[in-house]
């Protein structure tokens, strides 16, 4: 016995497939088809003011078109009006005020009308697809999704994240990480927004949120809220700091993040291409928090100036370079992590400056007075030096002062600032690293290498080519 042939039109099957693959609701496409048929018929066979209604059965796919006219005494527009005499020729029961509904066979559509319908339908489908894409990914913003690297270019990469491709610019890639086509990659969804060209999905591998989400994925205590991540500071590809805490006295927040034999943190490090991660314990006490943030260096004393959220930190002489870190990295990360500007000094430097932590007065005023007191002695010692040596010393110290001026406070007046500058120029020899105000906004040293990425690359990326690549 021959199988019963399905009466469902092919386009209904296509709509069902479209709904499954691209998430476009079938009824949305049917509504778009109705609108396209109505517009095409009015443009080619009826007037622009005519009233055309289209119905499509979602199960059988049957299409019906209706032309609706109003019965009036005086016809002003033949597109949608009909005289009573003409209406009664169709049915004697019609009278003024009634509607005359005439069914139109879809077969009247010619080739031109069919092409116009197809174009309108395609446009509506694209709009519906963009809207469905936005609705699907807007809830995934600030989350991690798995992607597949489809294309790698010198200035960007295209990552397939499911139903679309996302652009991963060079500045959003971890420095030193080599992407290859076909590579599985975890990316952080940094932005999802509607644009003139459709839905824009921005992904990143350098956002601090990536570190936070990776720990949530690998540490159950963070995922269930037992351990809380307070802050993350990061220099992608090199080092990150993360502060954690818990209210459960039986749980070690740092140990939870490290995991048995370091397996949990190792998984995060591996995903970040070997990026070093420091896990420190958060504290509501700024002094304790700042001390922890400068880990692995050991901190002796911390004094705060809450007026401008700055802190003076004293460390042992042998811990100074460790506290500052390579090119100031450890201190910069601590600044971003805590939100405090940090001035790091060794015990020797603090003693020479006469800083006294036992007095509650403003340590900056005390520091300036001590510098002024020792200024006369250092001046007499400098008189014996030759002019050439003095000039060289002045140039070197001036560069150091420029790179690391002390924290500025409202109590500084111009005379005190000038006295401090003279002291720094005259009282430090070449072997001292008299530095150390480090903040997030501070520039790197002149000898630091410039990053490979240039922001102007964003302007050079051919986004139209990217859209075309994915629309095909």
């Amino acid at each position: 016995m021959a199988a019963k042939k399905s009466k469902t039109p092919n386009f209904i099957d296509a709509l069902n497939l479209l709904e499954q693959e691209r998430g476009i609701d079938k009824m949305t496409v049917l509504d778009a088809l109705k609108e396209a048929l109505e517009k095409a018929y009015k443009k080619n066979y009826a007037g622009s003011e005519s009233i055309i209604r289209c119905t499509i059965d979602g199960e059988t796919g049957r299409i019906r078109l209706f032309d609706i006219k109003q019965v009036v005494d005086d016809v002003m527009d033949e597109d949608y009006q009909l005289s009573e005499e003409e209406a009664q020729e169709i049915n004697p029961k019609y009278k003024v005020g009634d509607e005359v509904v005439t069914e139109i066979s879809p077969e009247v559509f010619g080739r031109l009308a069919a092409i116009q319908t197809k174009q309108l339908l395609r446009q509506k489908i694209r709009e519906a697809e963009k809207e469905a894409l936005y609705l699907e990914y807007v809830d995934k913003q600030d989350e991690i999704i798995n992607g597949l690297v489809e294309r790698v270019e010198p200035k960007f990469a295209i990552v397939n994240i499911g139903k679309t491709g996302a652009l991963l610019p060079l500045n959003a890639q971890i420095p030193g990480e080599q992407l290859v086509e076909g590579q599985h990659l975890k990316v952080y969804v940094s932005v999802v927004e509607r644009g003139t060209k459709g839905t824009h999905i921005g992904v990143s591998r350098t956002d601090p949120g990536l570190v936070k989400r990776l720990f949530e994925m690998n540490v159950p205590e963070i995922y269930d809220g037992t351990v809380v991540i307070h802050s993350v500071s990061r220099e992608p590809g090199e080092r990150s700091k993360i502060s954690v805490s818990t209210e459960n006295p039986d749980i070690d927040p740092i140990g939870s993040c490290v995991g048995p034999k370091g397996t949990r943190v190792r998984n995060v490090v591996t995903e970040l291409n070997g990026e070093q991660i420091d896990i420190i314990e958060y504290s509501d006490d700024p002094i304790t928090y700042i001390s922890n943030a400068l880990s692995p260096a050991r901190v002796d004393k911390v004094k705060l100036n809450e007026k401008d959220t700055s802190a003076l930190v004293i460390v042992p002489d042998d811990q100074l370079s460790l506290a500052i870190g390579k090119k100031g990295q450890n201190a910069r990360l601590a600044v971003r992590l805590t939100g405090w500007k940090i001035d790091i000094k060794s015990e020797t430097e603090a003693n020479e400056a006469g800083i006294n932590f036992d007095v509650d007065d403003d340590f900056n005023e005390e520091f300036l007075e001590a510098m002024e007191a020792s200024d006369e002695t250092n001046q007499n010692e400098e008189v014996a030096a030759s002019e050439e040596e003095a000039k060289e010393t002045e140039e070197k110290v001036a560069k150091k002062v420029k790179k690391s001026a002390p924290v500025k406070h409202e109590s500084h007046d111009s005379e005190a600032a000038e006295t401090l500058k003279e002291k720094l120029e005259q009282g430090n020899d070449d072997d001292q690293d008299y530095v150390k105000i480090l903040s997030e906004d501070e520039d790197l040293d002149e000898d630091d290498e410039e990053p490979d990425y240039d922001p102007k690359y964003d302007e050079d990326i051919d986004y139209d080519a990217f859209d075309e690549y994915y629309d095909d």
Side-chain angles (χ1 to χ4, degrees), residues 338-357:
T338 62
W340 288 76
K341 290 178 280 187
I342 301 175
D343 180 10
I344 306 174
K345 296 188 185 299
S346 66
E347 291 179 345
T348 300
E349 291 173 335
N351 292 333
E352 291 178 353
I355 299 175
N356 184 2
F357 275 77

Side-chain angles (χ1 to χ4, degrees), residues 74-111:
D74 186 12
V75 177
M76 303 296 293
D77 193 327
E78 294 181 355
D79 286 349
Y80 64 92
Q81 291 178 343
L82 198 66
S83 66
E84 187 176 10
E85 292 79 9
E86 292 173 325
Q88 289 178 353
E89 289 179 4
I90 300 173
N91 189 329
K93 296 181 179 180
Y94 283 131
K95 54 185 178 181
V96 175
D98 291 340
E99 287 186 348
V100 178
V101 181
T102 306
E103 185 170 0
I104 307 163
S105 173
E107 296 179 358
V108 301
F109 277 76
R111 181 173 178 274

Side-chain angles (χ1 to χ4, degrees), residues 211-448:
V211 178
K212 182 178 181 180
R213 296 304 182 195
L214 286 173
F215 271 100
E216 289 179 355
M217 293 172 61
N218 288 276
V219 182
E221 291 85 351
I222 294 179
Y223 182 79
D224 62 21
T226 305
V227 175
V228 178
I229 297 176
H230 290 270
S231 180
V232 178
S233 61
R234 185 182 182 197
E235 292 194 357
E238 296 185 14
R239 192 174 180 184
S240 293
K241 284 183 181 287
I242 177 173
S243 61
V244 296
S245 71
T246 181
E247 295 182 357
N248 191 332
D250 298 328
I251 293 180
D252 176 15
I254 297 178
S256 299
C257 295
V258 173
K261 298 182 180 180
T263 53
R264 293 175 176 176
V265 70
R266 192 181 303 119
N267 291 337
V268 177
V269 170
T270 301
E271 181 62 36
L272 297 177
N273 197 36
E275 185 174 310
Q276 182 181 352
I277 298 177
D278 296 342
I279 305 172
I280 66 113
E281 187 170 1
Y282 173 81
S283 175
D284 291 329
D285 178 20
I287 293 179
T288 304
Y289 191 26
I290 291 172
S291 300
N292 294 343
L294 289 171
S295 173
R298 187 176 71 256
V299 174
D300 280 350
K301 298 177 181 178
V302 177
K303 191 162 186 177
L304 306 176
N305 186 328
E306 297 184 357
K307 291 182 180 179
D308 56 359
T309 60
S310 63
L312 176 61
V313 177
I314 306 300
V315 298
D317 292 357
D318 61 349
Q319 298 286 302
L320 182 60
S321 60
L322 191 61
I324 296 172
K326 183 181 179 181
K327 298 181 181 180
Q329 184 183 77
N330 191 60
R332 284 198 306 273
L333 290 173
V335 166
R336 297 170 190 165
L337 191 74
T338 62
W340 288 76
K341 290 178 280 187
I342 301 175
D343 180 10
I344 306 174
K345 296 188 185 299
S346 66
E347 291 179 345
T348 300
E349 291 173 335
N351 292 333
E352 291 178 353
I355 299 175
N356 184 2
F357 275 77
D358 298 328
V359 180
D360 293 333
D361 295 338
D362 191 332
F363 68 83
N364 293 284
E365 294 180 358
E366 180 182 353
F367 174 62
L368 288 174
E369 291 175 359
M371 297 296 275
E372 290 175 2
S374 61
D375 184 47
E376 295 180 2
T377 303
N378 291 324
Q379 255 185 344
N380 295 332
E381 293 176 357
E382 290 294 328
V383 170
S386 64
E387 292 184 359
E388 183 176 352
E389 292 177 349
K391 183 177 181 180
E392 292 177 356
T393 302
E394 182 180 356
E395 291 175 351
K396 292 180 180 178
V397 175
K399 289 182 179 179
K400 294 179 182 179
V401 172
K402 181 180 180 181
K403 294 177 183 176
S404 55
V407 179
K408 295 181 180 179
H409 296 276
E410 296 178 359
S411 60
H412 283 191
D413 55 25
S414 60
E415 181 178 355
E418 185 63 28
T419 303
L420 175 61
K421 179 178 179 182
E422 293 175 0
K423 166 65 184 114
L424 290 171
E425 292 178 350
Q426 297 173 4
N428 294 278
D429 54 38
D430 294 347
D431 296 331
Q432 290 179 319
D433 288 331
Y434 204 101
V435 211
K436 325 278 185 311
I437 288 294
L438 296 145
S439 67
E440 185 173 357
D441 298 329
E442 187 175 46
D443 294 333
L444 296 174
D445 295 345
E446 294 178 357
D447 296 335
D448 291 352

Side-chain angles (χ1 to χ4, degrees), residues 137-145 187-192 201-204 207-214 216-217:
Y137 284 96
V138 69
D139 293 333
K140 296 181 180 180
Q141 186 169 345
D142 299 326
E143 299 291 339
I144 288 179
I145 57 177
V187 292
Y188 179 80
V189 182
S190 56
V191 60
V192 179
I201 303 173
V203 296
S204 174
D207 196 290
L210 178 65
V211 178
K212 182 178 181 180
R213 296 304 182 195
L214 286 173
E216 289 179 355
M217 293 172 61

